[in-house]
């Protein structure tokens, strides 16, 4: 027979027999020989008969590595089947050596010269025959003898030294190992199934479940390599055969036990871990039921196992806890199924025997029950009782999720694998907090509050990160039923798209979020979020993909600086983030509302500052990414209009001046509606909910203002300067609000400048002036006229104009200033009828909106006044006039007493109206015509020499023309001998002349009577022409 058969035949012979003494030398079957085999290995008795785990022997396997389970012989190649080469031993390894060398691997392989290879899988090159795995050197070319790496060595601990006798204290003898203290592990393995073992002289082994009936002893030499003393037992406690703590990677803590029998655990705490009983006998395989408290123990997994560890399941803590009746609960793995599956269990209110935990659907293979129930105890009876283990399995969440789309994600809500979705019912507002935050994927459901965290995007992902989608915060929030919502990216598509979801008021388990349209995804395992503990079925990925998680992050792209658009200088005054609502403001862009905390274009909440008191003349409406924008004047935005064309200076769509139709209606808080193009809204108020696509796509929208200072000439320096600005209307659609017909009594607005963004006026009725200038804001169009030419009543009357932007000479233009027309005067560059068509109006009151194109094109319009201290009336009446006499504004007339014969000479001649009275001599006989005029030229007349000179008293004298009549007519004057105040020259008959109207144009002798002209019209002057 073979060597192995020969060995097996003599296994049970006494070690003291002659036959066994022979075998000591040849095969080393008995302890104590110390023989060394030919290849250098020590005698293998301790490992060849019984494996270290007590499962296998050489006699059973007939292989070179006793104590390790032989699997088979498999082909190998250069790219190794078992990838890790650890050592070349040049001798057969022991099971302990295989366990140490291949720690962390499932399988080990030996080749030529006992090269050792390790790995977790094998067989990719196929199985082979003809292997010589028993060989002490060569097993064959490119062959692996594959073994299962043995389990951990049996554990033991020293109890003490006890007396022995012929009737042994430990009754079961298990052989003699010889002088090797290291053989205690073999002794423990041989006594597997017993609680205690003892060693005596030459390491004789005895086993039993009790000891000490002869008492304890001192003076034992338990560390001796051979003799511990006479009749002495060195007693050790051996690990129980029913310790299942190594299942599924180990790390288990036994917390509850029921022995073999017909009753379940006495506990009534429904596995909360609050009960404790029989803790003094809390050992593995104890004959009594016991439990330790584990409610304060940190754990996330249960192991329910039979006493012999043959039947078991591992399940998350969250699957066990909670209330359910015949519901699917998640099982991570079991002795029969290594992948997650569902089983129906019970854990009901008022049922103290619950939970009922089973390997399959209850009542198939029940592994836990309470209250000492007697039902479904088949496994307890057949498999040596039942045990409950707990452990905290630190499983790091897949780094893949946190790195999706560039990373930056923060997990805020988690539900473990199972058949229930998130407990939250806050519709993903982030207001609920429950559970304890735990990084483990199998941790019970938890959530933290995130309603106050700043974020822009959600990530919904399964626990294994195989299914996920990124969604803008604004797409998730809001109410919708089968509504299309935007998804930025997902595991099924790498670009933005839309899916139909549900988030309905009153439906607590909403939102219902899926990778694609709800109806398509519901049975394709594509749901990624549900709330309110709604049940998950087999079509939902939450239980089969490691649970589900909610992540958030604040991702706002680097947005360009919109303040630099269109020349820059902009100030952001109002902002709304990307979402489903426009600006909350209801002030119709008056700038009177303030809300939120002032931020930037990246702000996640709407905000506004007051800008009604800011100085600005332009608005800019722009998206947060500055891709869509337009610039409009303040006057184009404000005002009331409905579908009317409003002026746009420039935009991202058209880079030049153009017009768009907008709406700003009274009483409509959502107005104005500012559009870049039809259906491309850039501004709406009142939380308007339509046309918000541009907000979601472009990260929101903002309102900007600026005071655009266009270089303009200083109008006050035109035509000699000295002008004072008294009235202004800005560019827009309305003329001056004043209704005082330029009397200077109106006062409104805050006094500003010639380019202010608001209309204003200061009173000027008490100011002394003699000229008006009407000019556009940019000074490109203007007209200068005497005060007298403007103020009087006329309808389409020809009025004197001193100079204008289109004619530098004195000329006449037809204007209107009618008593009943409060908006008059109508001042134009040309006659009224032709000026309207040519956009040449320069003044109109009453806030009228006619002819306002000139306002928008030329920065508004202004009114200036001045007192021109220069006598220039003669220049307006033709050429050749000589200034011969002057009296300034005051209470008296000319001092001369020469009856206008030209003999009076006094003062210093000057062309200033403010100069003291003066006169020069002139030859009256050569004079052809006289011109008499008030200082402001408002009143004047031309008369021939014959009409002025000579003696007369109330006789009619010829007047060639005057400020009253352009044609010749007659008026009654006085020039009497002996009357030094004569002549009295008037535009009408002297007796009919009204002192207050300034009709008297000459008197002498310094008389005070009739001096209204001198007082109110800047004095009086005499001119002659030869």
């Amino acid at each position: 027979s073979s060597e192995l058969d020969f060995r097996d035949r003599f296994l049970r012979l006494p070690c003291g027999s002659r036959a066994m003494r022979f075998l000591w030398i040849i095969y080393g079957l008995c302890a104590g020989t110390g023989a060394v085999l030919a290849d250098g290995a020590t005698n293998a008795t301790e490992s060849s008969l019984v494996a270290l785990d007590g499962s296998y022997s050489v006699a059973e396997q007939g292989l070179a590595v006793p104590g390790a389970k032989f699997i088979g012989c498999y082909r190998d190649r250069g790219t190794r089947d078992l990838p890790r080469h650890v050592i070349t031993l040049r001798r057969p390894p022991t099971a302990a050596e295989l366990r140490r060398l291949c720690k962390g691997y499932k399988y080990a392989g030996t080749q030529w010269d006992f090269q050792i290879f390790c790995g977790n899988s094998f067989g990719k090159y196929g199985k082979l025959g003809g292997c010589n795995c028993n060989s002490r050197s060569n097993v064959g070319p490119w062959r692996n003898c594959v073994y299962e790496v043995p389990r951990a060595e049996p554990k033991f601990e020293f109890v003490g030294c006890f007396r022995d006798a012929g009737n042994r204290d430990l009754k079961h003898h298990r052989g003699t190992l010889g002088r090797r203290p290291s053989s205690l592990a073999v002794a423990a393995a041989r006594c597997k199934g017993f609680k205690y073992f003892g060693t005596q002289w030459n390491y004789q082994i005895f086993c039993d479940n009790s000891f000490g009936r002869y008492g304890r002893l001192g003076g034992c030499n338990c560390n001796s390599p051979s003799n511990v003393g006479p009749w002495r037992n060195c007693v050790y406690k051996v690990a129980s055969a029913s310790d299942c703590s190594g299942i599924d990677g180990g790390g288990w803590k036994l917390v509850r036990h029921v022995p073999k029998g017909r009753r379940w655990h006495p506990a009534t705490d429904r596995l909360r871990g609050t009960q404790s009983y029989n803790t003094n006998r809390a050992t593995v395989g104890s004959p009594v039921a016991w439990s330790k408290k584990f409610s304060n123990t940190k754990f996330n997994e249960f192991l329910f196992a039979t006493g012999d560890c043959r039947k078991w399941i591992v399940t998350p803590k969250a699957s066990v806890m909670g209330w359910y009746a015949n519901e699917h609960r998640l099982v991570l793995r079991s002795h029969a199924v290594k992948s997650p599956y569902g089983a129906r269990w019970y854990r009901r209110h008022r049922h103290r025997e619950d939970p009922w935990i089973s390997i399959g659907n209850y009542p198939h293979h029940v592994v836990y029950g309470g209250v000492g129930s007697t039902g479904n105890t088949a496994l307890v009876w057949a498999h040596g009782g039942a045990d409950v283990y707990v452990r905290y399995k630190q499983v790091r969440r897949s780094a893949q999720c946190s790195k999706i789309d560039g990373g930056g994600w923060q997990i805020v809500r988690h539900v473990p694998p199972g058949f229930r979705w998130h407990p939250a019912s806050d519709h993903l507002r982030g207001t609920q907090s429950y559970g304890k935050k735990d990084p483990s994927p199998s941790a019970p459901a938890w959530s933290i509050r995130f309603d106050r965290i700043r974020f822009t995007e959600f990530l919904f992902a399964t626990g294994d990160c195989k299914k996920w989608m990124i969604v803008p915060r604004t797409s998730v929030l809001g109410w919708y039923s089968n509504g299309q919502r935007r998804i930025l990216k997902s595991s099924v598509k790498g670009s933005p798209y839309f899916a139909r979801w549900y988030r309905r008021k009153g439906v607590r388990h909403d939102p219902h979020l899926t990778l694609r349209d709800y109806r398509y995804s519901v049975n394709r395992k594509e749901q990624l979020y549900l709330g309110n503990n709604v049940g998950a079925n087999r079509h939902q990925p939450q239980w089969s993909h490691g649970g589900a998680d909610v992540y958030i992050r604040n991702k706002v792209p680097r947005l360009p600086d919109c303040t630099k658009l269109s020349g820059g200088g902009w100030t952001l005054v109002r902002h709304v983030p990307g979402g489903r609502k426009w600006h909350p403001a209801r002030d119709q862009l008056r700038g009177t509302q303030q809300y939120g905390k002032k931020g930037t274009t990246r702000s996640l909440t709407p905000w506004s500052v007051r800008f009604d008191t800011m100085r600005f003349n332009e608005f800019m409406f722009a998206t947060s990414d500055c891709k869509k924008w337009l610039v409009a004047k303040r006057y184009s935005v404000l005002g009331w209009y409905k579908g009317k064309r409003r002026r746009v200076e420039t935009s991202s769509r058209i880079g030049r001046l153009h017009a768009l139709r907008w709406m700003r209606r009274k009483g409509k808080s959502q107005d104005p509606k500012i559009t870049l193009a039809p259906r491309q809204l850039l501004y709406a108020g009142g939380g308007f909910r339509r046309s918000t696509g541009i907000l979601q796509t472009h990260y929101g929208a903002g309102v900007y203002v600026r005071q655009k200072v266009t270089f303009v000439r200083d109008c006050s320096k035109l035509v000699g300067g000295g002008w004072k600005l008294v009235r202004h209307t800005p560019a827009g659609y309305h003329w001056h609000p004043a209704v005082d017909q330029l009397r200077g009594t109106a006062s409104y607005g805050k006094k500003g400048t010639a380019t202010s963004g608001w209309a204003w006026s200061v009173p000027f009725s008490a100011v002394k002036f003699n000229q008006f200038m009407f000019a556009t804001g940019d000074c490109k169009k203007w007209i200068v006229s005497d005060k007298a030419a403007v103020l009087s009543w006329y309808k389409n009357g020809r009025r004197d104009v001193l100079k204008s932007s289109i004619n530098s000479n004195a000329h006449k233009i037809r204007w209107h200033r009618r008593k009943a027309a409060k908006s008059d005067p109508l001042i134009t560059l040309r006659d009224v009828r032709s000026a309207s068509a040519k956009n040449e109006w320069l003044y109109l009151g009453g806030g009228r909106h006619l002819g306002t194109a000139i306002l928008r094109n030329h920065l508004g319009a202004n009114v200036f006044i001045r007192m021109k201290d220069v006598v220039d009336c003669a220049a307006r009446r033709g050429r050749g006039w000589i200034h011969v006499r002057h009296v300034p504004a005051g209470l008296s007339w000319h001092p001369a007493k020469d009856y206008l014969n030209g003999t009076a000479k006094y003062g210093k001649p000057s062309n200033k109206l403010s100069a003291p009275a003066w006169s020069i001599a002139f030859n009256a006989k050569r004079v052809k015509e006289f011109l008499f005029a008030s200082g402001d030229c408002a009143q004047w007349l031309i008369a021939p020499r014959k009409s002025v000179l000579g003696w007369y008293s109330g006789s009619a004298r010829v007047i060639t023309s005057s400020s009253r009549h352009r044609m010749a007519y007659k008026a009654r004057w006085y020039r009497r001998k002996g009357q030094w105040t004569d002549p009295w020259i008037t535009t009408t008959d002297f007796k009919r002349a009204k002192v207050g109207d300034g009709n008297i144009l000459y008197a002498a002798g310094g008389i005070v009577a009739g001096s209204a002209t001198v007082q109110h019209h800047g004095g009086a002057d005499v001119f002659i022409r030869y």
Side-chain angles (χ1 to χ4, degrees):
S1 61
S2 67
E3 173 184 323
L4 294 178
D5 291 334
F6 184 77
R7 276 184 168 185
D8 193 57
R9 184 179 301 174
F10 291 97
L11 281 177
R12 299 189 180 184
L13 291 175
C15 287
S17 67
R18 290 185 176 180
M20 289 308 293
R21 289 174 184 168
F22 174 74
L23 292 177
W24 287 353
I25 302 173
I26 304 300
Y27 297 111
L29 289 180
C30 286
T33 64
V36 178
L37 300 178
D39 61 356
T42 56
N43 190 308
T45 303
E46 67 180 69
S47 60
S48 61
L49 292 179
V50 181
L52 295 182
D53 59 1
S55 299
Y56 306 104
S57 68
V58 172
E60 294 169 333
Q61 298 295 333
L63 301 175
V65 185
K69 181 179 180 180
F70 178 70
I71 296 176
C73 184
Y74 290 82
R75 190 188 310 275
D76 201 6
R77 289 180 182 172
T79 302
R80 297 294 187 173
D81 191 13
L82 297 169
R84 187 183 175 204
H85 176 230
V86 291
I87 196 170
T88 301
L89 280 178
R90 305 185 187 279
R91 61 175 174 80
T94 65
E97 286 174 328
L98 274 191
R99 183 186 307 111
R100 176 176 58 81
L101 293 172
C102 290
K103 185 177 181 181
Y105 293 92
K106 294 181 180 179
Y107 306 101
T110 64
Q111 293 192 19
W112 180 85
D113 220 16
F114 286 98
Q115 297 177 72
I116 309 296
F117 294 85
C118 310
N120 289 319
S121 62
F122 63 91
K124 62 182 177 181
Y125 302 122
K127 194 167 185 177
L128 272 178
C131 299
N132 187 10
C133 291
N134 292 324
S135 170
R136 293 294 178 177
S137 59
N138 194 358
V139 300
W142 293 107
R143 284 160 170 75
N144 257 333
C145 296
V146 181
Y147 304 85
E148 186 175 283
V149 176
R151 288 184 298 174
E153 295 180 0
K155 298 178 181 179
F156 55 88
E157 61 183 33
F158 180 70
V159 177
C161 185
F162 293 82
R163 191 187 305 276
D164 202 5
N167 186 13
R168 298 290 187 177
D169 191 16
L170 300 171
K171 297 185 178 300
H172 305 278
H173 180 236
R174 288 292 184 267
T176 302
L177 293 180
R179 301 182 180 184
R180 286 183 298 279
S182 60
S183 299
L184 286 174
V186 178
R190 289 189 180 186
C191 290
K192 186 176 180 180
F194 294 94
K195 292 183 179 180
Y196 306 99
F197 72 89
T199 62
Q200 294 190 19
W201 178 86
N202 229 12
Y203 280 92
Q204 298 177 72
I205 302 171
F206 297 87
C207 313
D208 209 338
N209 287 321
S210 62
F211 66 94
R213 59 181 171 173
Y214 300 121
R216 185 184 288 267
L217 271 178
C220 298
N221 189 9
C222 289
N223 293 324
S224 171
S226 59
N227 193 359
V228 299
W231 295 107
R232 283 162 171 76
N233 259 331
C234 292
V235 180
Y236 299 85
K237 181 179 180 182
V238 69
S240 173
S242 59
D243 186 358
C244 306
S245 60
I247 289 176
D248 189 39
W252 296 103
K253 177 183 178 182
L254 181 60
V255 294
R256 190 163 289 178
H257 165 74
V258 65
K260 178 179 179 179
R262 295 293 183 182
R263 285 188 177 276
W264 280 107
H265 300 273
T268 59
D269 61 355
R270 295 185 174 92
L271 275 176
R272 295 188 186 96
T274 57
Q275 281 188 287
S276 175
Y277 48 86
N278 294 331
T279 55
N280 60 332
R281 305 187 68 180
T283 60
V284 176
S286 175
V288 298
W290 61 266
S291 177
K292 297 178 181 179
K293 284 187 178 182
F294 56 92
S295 56
N296 295 326
T297 302
K298 184 179 180 180
F299 70 98
N300 54 20
E301 288 183 350
F302 278 103
L303 167 65
F304 299 95
T306 56
D308 59 5
C309 305
R310 290 187 178 182
K311 307 282 185 181
W312 54 268
I313 61 169
V314 177
T315 182
K317 178 182 180 181
S319 288
V320 174
M321 309 313 289
W323 304 112
Y324 43 88
N326 198 31
E327 285 189 12
H328 270 111
R329 312 302 286 178
L330 181 65
V331 178
L332 297 176
R333 60 196 63 83
S334 70
H335 69 280
V337 182
K338 303 305 179 184
S339 58
Y341 66 94
R344 293 183 180 274
W345 301 338
Y346 288 85
R347 189 173 185 270
R348 300 157 293 184
H349 289 282
R350 300 189 180 91
H351 286 261
R352 299 175 65 197
E353 70 275 16
D354 287 3
W356 287 106
I357 308 296
S358 55
I359 297 173
N361 292 334
Y362 177 85
H364 179 68
H365 285 178
V366 177
V367 290
Y368 185 88
V371 200
S373 302
T374 58
N376 304 305
T377 58
L379 292 185
V380 181
W381 176 257
H383 292 275
D387 298 299
V388 180
Y389 296 79
V390 295
R391 75 174 173 188
Y392 181 77
K393 188 173 183 179
Q394 182 67 44
V395 181
R396 290 189 177 182
R397 190 174 303 277
S398 173
Q400 185 181 3
C401 282
S402 61
K403 294 180 180 179
I404 287 176
D405 192 42
W409 297 104
Q410 176 186 356
I411 185 169
V412 293
R413 189 164 288 178
H414 164 74
V415 65
F419 291 87
R420 291 281 179 184
W421 280 99
H422 299 274
S425 57
D426 61 354
H427 293 92
L428 269 176
R429 295 187 188 95
T431 56
Q432 282 187 288
S433 176
Y434 51 84
K436 184 177 180 181
K437 185 175 180 180
D438 192 321
S440 173
S442 60
W446 60 265
S447 176
I448 62 172
R449 288 194 66 167
F450 55 92
D451 55 329
R452 298 176 183 175
I453 299 177
R454 190 176 182 183
F455 71 99
T456 58
E457 291 178 348
F458 280 102
L459 167 64
F460 301 95
T462 55
D464 59 5
C465 303
K466 290 184 178 179
K467 296 181 185 250
W468 56 268
M469 66 179 177
I470 299 172
V471 187
R473 180 182 186 180
T474 52
S475 288
V476 174
L477 303 182
W479 303 114
Y480 41 88
S481 179
N482 200 33
Q484 280 200 340
R485 314 303 285 180
R486 188 165 182 257
I487 299 173
L488 298 176
K489 189 182 291 187
S490 74
S491 55
V492 299
K493 191 172 182 181
S495 57
Y497 65 99
F498 288 85
R500 294 187 177 275
W501 298 337
Y502 289 86
R503 189 174 183 268
R504 299 156 290 187
K505 287 185 179 180
V507 182
R508 301 183 68 190
H509 63 260
D510 280 1
H512 196 156
L513 308 182
T514 54
L515 276 172
R516 285 176 270 229
D517 288 350
Y518 167 77
R519 292 181 180 177
Y520 176 87
S521 298
V522 69
N523 290 324
R524 288 175 172 81
K525 295 186 177 181
E526 292 185 350
Q527 295 98 316
L528 290 179
Y529 186 89
L530 274 167
N532 201 39
N533 275 318
V534 69
N537 59 38
R538 62 188 178 88
H539 297 299
Q540 294 176 320
Q542 180 266 105
W543 73 274
S544 59
H545 286 273
D549 301 300
V550 180
Y551 298 80
I552 61 173
R553 73 175 174 187
N554 184 33
K555 183 181 180 182
V556 179
R558 291 185 178 180
L559 299 175
D561 186 2
C562 298
T563 60
K564 296 180 181 179
L565 289 174
S566 186
W570 296 102
T571 301
L572 180 62
V573 294
R574 189 165 288 177
H575 167 75
V576 64
R580 292 283 178 173
K581 288 184 182 180
W582 281 97
H583 300 272
R586 297 175 177 270
D587 61 355
Q588 297 188 310
L589 273 177
R590 296 185 186 94
T592 56
Q593 277 192 279
Q594 181 174 341
Y595 52 83
K597 183 179 180 181
K598 183 178 179 180
T600 64
T601 54
R602 298 166 62 97
S603 297
L604 300 179
T605 55
W607 61 266
S608 177
V609 297
R610 290 195 65 167
F611 55 93
D612 54 329
T613 57
M614 294 174 64
R615 185 179 178 183
F616 70 97
N617 55 17
E618 284 186 344
F619 278 103
M620 180 172 71
F621 304 93
T623 56
S624 292
D625 60 4
C626 308
K627 290 184 178 179
K628 295 184 181 291
W629 55 270
L630 68 82
V631 176
K633 295 291 185 183
R634 182 177 184 175
Y635 60 77
S636 288
V637 175
L638 303 182
W640 305 116
Y641 43 89
K642 180 180 179 181
K644 290 188 176 181
R645 293 169 66 86
R646 310 300 285 180
R647 173 180 166 136
V648 177
E649 303 301 311
T650 184
S651 71
S652 56
R653 179 171 164 263
I654 302 175
R656 63 180 186 276
L657 193 68
H658 58 286
L660 292 169
R661 296 185 182 275
W662 300 337
M663 287 193 291
R664 188 173 184 268
R665 301 158 291 182
K666 287 185 179 180
K668 299 291 183 179
S669 61
Q670 295 176 343
D671 287 359
K673 293 186 177 69
I674 308 296
T675 57
L676 179 63
R679 299 181 182 178
Q680 286 192 26
L681 203 61
L682 281 181
Y683 183 89
F688 190 57
R689 291 176 178 266
R690 296 182 182 177
S691 302
T692 56
I694 199 169
L695 294 181
Q696 300 176 55
T697 307
H698 297 277
Y699 307 103
V703 179
Y704 300 78
V705 297
R706 75 174 172 188
Q707 176 68 23
K708 185 176 181 180
V709 180
T710 306
F711 178 74
V712 294
R713 296 160 58 192
D714 185 0
C715 298
S716 65
K717 296 180 180 180
L718 290 174
V719 198
W723 296 101
K724 179 183 178 182
L725 179 62
V726 294
R727 190 165 290 176
H728 166 74
T729 189
Y733 291 87
H734 296 278
W735 279 101
H736 299 275
V739 292
D740 62 353
Q741 296 185 315
L742 274 177
R743 295 187 185 92
T745 57
S747 176
Y748 51 84
K750 181 180 179 181
K751 184 178 180 180
T753 66
T755 56
S756 294
W758 63 95
W760 62 268
S761 178
V762 295
F764 54 91
S765 58
V767 178
K768 289 185 178 182
F769 69 97
N770 56 15
Q771 288 183 350
F772 277 104
M773 180 172 69
F774 304 94
T776 56
D778 59 5
C779 306
K780 290 183 178 180
K781 298 194 177 188
W782 52 269
I783 193 169
V784 178
S785 181
D786 289 323
K787 177 181 179 181
V790 175
L791 301 180
S792 63
W793 304 115
Y794 42 89
K795 180 179 180 181
N796 200 33
R798 292 171 60 84
R799 312 306 291 169
D800 289 327
V801 174
L802 301 178
K803 191 179 287 189
S804 74
S805 56
I806 60 174
N807 191 342
S808 60
N809 298 317
H811 57 286
K812 296 181 183 294
I813 302 176
R814 293 184 180 275
W815 296 338
H816 292 303
R817 188 174 184 268
R818 299 156 290 189
K819 287 185 178 180
K822 297 297 183 182
S823 61
D824 283 359
L826 174 52
I827 308 297
T828 58
L829 271 174
R830 306 176 196 270
D831 289 346
V832 170
R833 293 182 180 177
S834 62
S836 298
K838 294 185 179 181
N839 190 25
E840 291 180 340
W841 292 13
L842 289 176
Y843 184 89
L844 188 63
R848 298 292 296 275
H849 63 276
L850 301 174
T852 55
I854 195 172
L855 298 180
R856 296 190 293 275
N857 295 333
H858 294 278
L859 306 180
N862 300 299
V863 179
F864 297 84
I865 60 172
R866 75 176 174 184
M867 183 67 184
K868 188 173 183 183
D869 196 15
V870 177
V871 180
D872 59 355
C873 295
R876 308 176 200 178
R877 309 278 78 85
R879 298 181 181 179
W881 294 104
I882 300 172
H883 193 191
V884 295
R885 191 163 291 177
H886 165 74
V887 65
L891 297 176
S892 60
W893 278 102
H894 298 277
K897 298 180 181 180
D898 61 353
Y899 299 100
L900 273 177
N901 289 323
T903 59
K905 183 179 179 181
Y906 51 85
K908 184 178 180 179
S910 174
N911 65 346
K912 291 187 176 182
L913 288 174
S914 59
W918 59 268
S919 177
I920 62 172
F922 59 89
N923 189 349
K925 292 181 179 181
R926 291 182 55 207
V927 172
K928 185 177 179 181
E929 287 180 319
F930 281 93
L931 168 61
F932 301 94
S934 60
D936 61 3
C937 306
Q939 303 292 337
W940 57 271
L941 67 81
I942 299 174
R945 178 178 61 84
K946 291 181 180 180
S947 293
V948 176
L949 301 181
W951 305 110
Y952 43 86
S953 178
S955 61
R957 314 303 288 177
V958 175
I959 298 175
T960 305
S961 63
S962 73
S963 56
R964 292 179 61 86
H965 299 287
R966 297 298 184 261
M967 304 299 291
Y969 67 99
K970 291 183 179 182
R972 296 182 182 276
W973 299 340
Y974 289 88
R975 189 174 184 268
R976 298 160 294 184
K977 290 182 179 181
Q979 296 294 324
W980 303 110
T981 59
D982 289 359
W984 287 91
I985 308 298
T986 60
T987 56
T988 61
D989 290 345
F990 174 77
K991 290 185 178 181
R992 295 173 56 191
K994 295 181 179 178
V995 174
D997 282 350
N999 289 325
I1000 301 174
L1001 292 179
Y1002 188 87
I1007 191 172
V1008 175
S1011 61
T1013 300
V1014 180
Q1015 292 181 53
H1016 303 301
H1017 290 273
D1021 297 283
V1022 180
F1023 302 85
I1024 62 172
R1025 182 160 56 182
Y1026 293 115

